[in-house]
Amino acid sequence: MTIGTGREAGRGQAPERGRGVLEGAFALLDALRRSGDEAGVTELALACGVPKGSVHRLLDQLVGVGAVERRGNRYRVGPQLYRLGQA
């Protein structure tokens, strides 16, 4: 979700829509799936077109909910995602 500068709202126009957090998270999960096994932050940032800092923050959140696992500086799809997929 993005927040407008106020100029858009003042003119009655909707602010431009940027990539939302959920879109970024799903893009990362899809990139992890396509990587086959594991991937690093740089690889994922390039694959998704998301800045490395954003990728790192999103991955930390995904690790926190079990959707992604971290092994050193590499990431892979986590067990919670598999459980959800089987439900």
Side-chain angles (χ1 to χ4, degrees):
M1 176 184 341
T2 59
I3 299 173
T5 62
R7 292 186 314 194
E8 299 90 350
R11 292 192 305 240
Q13 297 175 352
E16 285 187 34
R17 186 177 180 279
R19 176 180 257 180
V21 174
L22 287 176
E23 289 171 310
F26 274 90
L28 284 174
L29 292 170
D30 191 47
L32 280 172
R33 180 191 59 80
R34 288 190 320 265
S35 74
D37 189 25
E38 296 181 345
V41 171
T42 302
E43 295 167 67
L44 293 169
L46 290 171
C48 298
V50 176
K52 284 173 61 172
S54 297
V55 168
H56 190 63
R57 283 189 296 277
L58 285 169
L59 287 170
D60 282 346
Q61 292 176 9
L62 290 167
V63 167
V65 297
V68 170
E69 284 185 334
R70 182 177 179 178
R71 294 179 138 192
N73 61 353
R74 309 283 292 170
Y75 295 86
R76 64 188 218 167
V77 174
Q80 180 65 10
L81 220 51
Y82 288 112
R83 283 192 285 278
L84 288 172
Q86 291 178 348

